[in-house]
Amino acid sequence: MSKTWIPEIQNGVCINGCLPATDDALELCDALQAAAPSYSTVWEVGDMPIFSWDATFERYIDEQCKLHDEIRAGRKQCVLPWVVLEHLPDHRCKSRRFVFSQGYRPSCMGHGNGFARRGVVLTSIAVGMPFIYDPCNPIVTWYISKGESTRGGQNVVTMAKFANEVGHFPESLVGPDNINVPNYKQHMAAAKLHQTALVFLPGSRNTLADQIIKCCRAGLGVAIGNSTAVSGSTMDKSGVKIAVLRGSWAHATCFVGYRVVNGIEYVGWINSHGKIYGTSDEGEPADMCWMDRATLERFVLTATVYGQPYVVLPETTTIKEIERVRVPFPANWRA
């Protein structure tokens, strides 16, 4: 990794923070996947694996798709993470923060990983997992993954490795300042309790879109790097706030959230640039917009250059007993 790499800054926001995967990173990805156990494997508490994308994991995704489809079809409960967070009782969350801007730091890979993790914790709560929403400060694990440096970006594979091995640092312990690295070394053991199990998507540029859609439909999140920029948003003919692709960047983001409107599938895409995509009357964060399949297929064309995208499966704080949080659909939500 070049120590002289300087990120591009536009309007105070770093837009080039994801590095292309080097030969070493690609070899690391191959090694991690070669050693990955099946999703059916039993592992010791505190040792979160990197799983293989195998037939067992595909069955798990199919089961989760069925569960989430039933919830969406019945319109009894909303599983969109930002809506879940709005309805969480105080004892089930340690922060009401969902996303924020990375500012001038080239830390997008840490934020893409962290935002995917937050989203999956919230969707998991909505379907009955006994999680407490305890969001982590995304700058810390990113900083550690770079040998304790804030200069230059990070590739997808290396971020995945450190998210899995080191874990994450809750804001409740290190604070929410995501621009300046907080004191964290006394919390290394706590970070191990917030590790990320993950699965690298096996797809090529031609199949990644299908895999991302299916993961989001199953309530999972995907961290990704690419070079096709989202310049803004617009309303499509169904009234959905969708991404406008224009220009280029070297950037990491994530996908969390799924919906179907007028027979068209959409996945939720979340940025770390701050609130630049505007709002709609449906309550999405202004840090995000939706992508239909055609937009997503264009967006992922360069993804594998930065390292294979991966599914986030978070470890986090739990309550002692399962307590279902009922989250109604917003009254103005268009199915």
Side-chain angles (χ1 to χ4, degrees), residues 27-58:
E27 290 176 5
L28 172 62
C29 188
D30 289 342
L32 292 173
Q33 292 188 85
S38 170
Y39 190 71
S40 60
T41 303
V42 176
W43 68 95
E44 296 297 325
V45 173
D47 183 18
M48 298 293 282
I50 293 175
F51 291 108
S52 62
W53 184 294
D54 58 10
T56 303
F57 185 69
E58 289 184 345

Side-chain angles (χ1 to χ4, degrees), residues 240-301:
V240 177
K241 185 180 77 171
I242 63 167
V244 174
L245 305 186
R246 184 183 300 115
S248 62
W249 58 18
H251 192 43
T253 53
C254 76
F255 288 95
V256 177
Y258 172 89
R259 65 188 300 194
V260 178
V261 183
N262 295 331
I264 301 173
E265 291 181 300
Y266 298 86
V267 290
W269 172 82
I270 300 176
N271 200 354
S272 53
H273 280 190
K275 299 180 178 182
I276 66 174
Y277 296 113
T279 59
S280 72
D281 62 358
E282 295 190 313
E284 307 104 328
D287 314 71
M288 68 151 290
C289 34
W290 297 91
M291 292 191 191
D292 57 22
R293 182 180 295 271
T295 305
L296 178 60
E297 287 175 350
R298 290 174 54 207
F299 184 79
V300 302
L301 283 176

